[in-house]
Amino acid sequence: MSSPQPDPDQVPAVEEPTGRTRGPLARLAAGFDDPVLRALVAATAVSRIGRGVFFAVTVLFFTQIIGLSPAQAAVVLAVSSGCGVVASFLGGWLADRWSARRLAFGFELTGGALLAGYAFVGDFASALLLASLAGFFDTLGHSARSAIIARGFASERRVHARAVLRTVTNIAIAAGSGLGAIALALGTPEAYRTVIACAGAICALGSLPLLRLTPAVDAPARVRIKTLRTETGSIDTKAAAAASAERSDWNRRSPWRDPRYLALSGLSAIFGMQFGVAEFGVPLWITQNTNAPEVMVAVLLIVNTTLVVLFQVRASCGTHNLRVAGRVTMIAGWLMVAACLVYAFAAGMPAWAAIVILIVGMIAHTFAEILSQAGAWGLSFELADPVRAGAYQGVFGMGFSVGALAAPIVVNATAITFGLPGWAMLGAIFFAAAVGIWIIARRAAAASVRPGAAPGPA
């Protein structure tokens, strides 16, 4: 009698040999014996500390030290994000043609040097130029890293690697924000410029661990067959046909020819606007429409970061399975609807009630974020053509960049403008995106098990 087969949709718990479930730190450390993950974690930890410093001081540096108006500061940040949209695809495209590890090293080293250059900025034009270049190279590096993850890990380990790296990112950014507080406390131009220069140097140092990666994370060498001539001088038609077939197959595998993946990227970008709710919508809602103290903005950020660190790795287990990825995305959609409505109910409440409501909303919001990211990572890897992994990850990242650009506009046009009805509209947008992703996942899972179905993207 054959032994019973495990349910492929079941998400296994990570257990110790004694049978006890591991804690979050143990789960985080479990993968560090993998040399690829170890190098990526080291690079991420160092570089994101530097980024955390910038997140803490950039806006105040622009407005209080350089003297930019709030509108000018917003333009600088928006243009920087816009450059990231272009760089997302370009970085992945390049990683399919050249060494992804060397590209990632070069991009991140250059990006760190550009961030250090902020220390010498003195006007709007120079700030705009430097921010655009820094954002461009940072996104190039991120896309090259995504290609490395796609090729450097087995299917069931990719999402785990992304979850570990995201957890490390949150911890490192929090630490960097603490360092940035030094400049905020001193408040002098010299303090700001010194801290920024040091942060840029830290970001550049974060590129060094990438040199420890092996060529295994690079794209396989493409077969390049040139048209040859025979001994009589005539064209070798077989070689010419082989070269033409190789080029045709390469172009056919482009993510721009994969409508299912493009739909996934677009819907994930829409759901990804939930980051804009946390970064833009909730702070404005607290200060303009609730009686909660402004310090709640920082409290909610701490709640979000803590929950991501504790649960992201565990929540990502099993989401390389298409059905599981679709299911957790659907749960995230319901949680996001609940979070939007809970945030709305904080308006007009007494301060103590508003505080409680906002914390409850942020808990629901954070678990929606955790689950949606886990599902998105699984689907973005599993539905991509492995031959063009870099280009596919670049397209997926570009979608998130577009979502980040659109988020402030959409959140302001719904929740901030119309209150409760606007929050309901925003929740409906997130839910519709989750339903779309769930449908894609279910259909892809069904197609993958259909007899005679061709593997790979549609």
Side-chain angles (χ1 to χ4, degrees):
M1 180 183 295
S2 61
S3 59
Q5 295 298 313
D7 181 359
D9 289 348
Q10 184 177 359
V11 182
V14 182
E15 296 183 349
E16 298 284 4
T18 60
R20 292 178 301 171
T21 302
R22 288 180 178 177
L25 293 180
R27 289 194 298 271
L28 184 61
F32 288 0
D33 56 344
D34 185 305
V36 175
L37 184 56
R38 201 161 51 235
L40 291 174
V41 165
T44 299
V46 176
S47 65
R48 296 302 104 172
I49 287 175
R51 281 283 171 180
V53 174
F54 280 93
F55 292 155
V57 306
T58 299
V59 174
L60 293 180
F61 176 69
F62 284 159
T63 56
Q64 296 185 10
I65 305 302
I66 301 178
L68 303 185
S69 67
Q72 287 176 320
V75 168
V76 169
L77 297 176
V79 172
S80 177
S81 298
C83 290
V85 173
V86 178
S88 292
F89 176 72
L90 179 60
W93 185 87
L94 292 172
D96 283 339
R97 287 159 173 76
W98 290 283
S99 168
R101 58 198 169 95
R102 291 173 180 167
L103 287 171
F105 167 75
F107 292 150
E108 300 204 11
L109 181 65
T110 304
L114 289 168
L115 289 176
Y118 271 73
F120 307 99
V121 165
D123 54 33
F124 173 70
S126 58
L128 182 63
L129 175 62
L130 204 56
S132 301
L133 290 173
F136 185 77
F137 277 95
D138 182 65
T139 308
L140 284 174
H142 185 272
S143 292
R145 284 201 199 197
S146 294
I148 290 171
I149 295 171
R151 297 192 180 99
F153 300 94
S155 174
E156 67 276 7
R157 297 288 294 172
R158 293 176 191 143
V159 178
H160 170 78
R162 286 296 294 264
V164 169
L165 293 173
R166 184 160 187 265
T167 302
V168 171
T169 295
N170 276 267
I171 296 172
I173 287 178
S177 298
L179 294 176
I182 296 174
L184 298 179
L186 295 176
T188 64
E190 293 77 13
Y192 272 92
R193 296 184 187 278
T194 300
V195 167
I196 286 175
C198 292
I202 292 172
C203 287
L205 289 174
S207 65
L208 296 179
L210 298 175
L211 295 175
R212 301 206 304 263
L213 294 170
T214 66
V217 301
D218 293 334
R222 290 178 59 191
V223 178
R224 298 182 181 277
I225 305 175
K226 297 181 179 179
T227 302
L228 302 177
R229 292 187 178 275
T230 63
E231 293 180 358
T232 62
S234 60
I235 295 176
D236 189 336
T237 56
K238 290 185 178 180
S244 176
E246 190 271 341
R247 287 193 297 269
S248 176
D249 180 67
W250 181 263
N251 293 330
R252 180 181 63 81
R253 295 173 181 271
S254 169
W256 300 110
R257 294 171 177 256
D258 187 343
R260 180 178 67 184
Y261 201 86
L262 293 176
L264 171 68
S265 300
L267 292 169
S268 297
I270 293 172
F271 202 96
M273 290 193 300
Q274 55 88 13
F275 288 105
V277 174
E279 297 167 4
F280 176 82
V282 172
L284 281 181
W285 185 251
I286 290 173
T287 56
Q288 296 181 7
N289 299 90
T290 77
N291 294 316
E294 292 184 6
V295 72
M296 280 302 298
V297 174
V299 171
L300 296 182
L301 177 61
I302 294 171
V303 170
N304 174 271
T305 301
T306 302
L307 292 177
V308 169
V309 169
L310 291 176
F311 294 105
Q312 184 68 76
V313 174
R314 183 176 182 82
S316 301
C317 293
T319 53
H320 63 283
N321 181 295
L322 296 175
R323 292 184 184 275
V324 174
R327 185 185 307 147
V328 300
T329 302
M330 198 67 236
I331 296 172
W334 284 111
L335 286 172
M336 204 61 219
V337 171
C340 289
L341 295 177
V342 170
Y343 286 143
F345 289 139
M349 291 289 185
W352 67 269
I355 290 172
V356 173
I357 291 171
L358 290 168
I359 291 175
V360 171
M362 179 53 71
I363 291 173
H365 185 166
T366 302
F367 278 104
E369 172 190 333
I370 290 170
L371 293 174
S372 67
Q373 288 288 278
W377 294 333
L379 293 170
S380 71
F381 287 130
E382 296 303 317
L383 298 185
D385 189 324
V387 175
R388 299 290 302 274
Y392 269 79
Q393 294 305 309
V395 166
F396 194 78
M398 186 170 66
F400 266 94
S401 297
V402 172
L405 274 176
I409 299 172
V410 174
V411 173
N412 184 68
T414 54
I416 304 304
T417 301
F418 296 106
L420 177 57
W423 280 108
M425 286 189 287
L426 196 58
I429 291 172
F430 290 126
F431 187 74
V435 170
I437 295 171
W438 175 76
I439 291 173
I440 290 173
R442 298 289 292 186
R443 290 182 175 176
S448 67
V449 299
R450 187 181 304 133

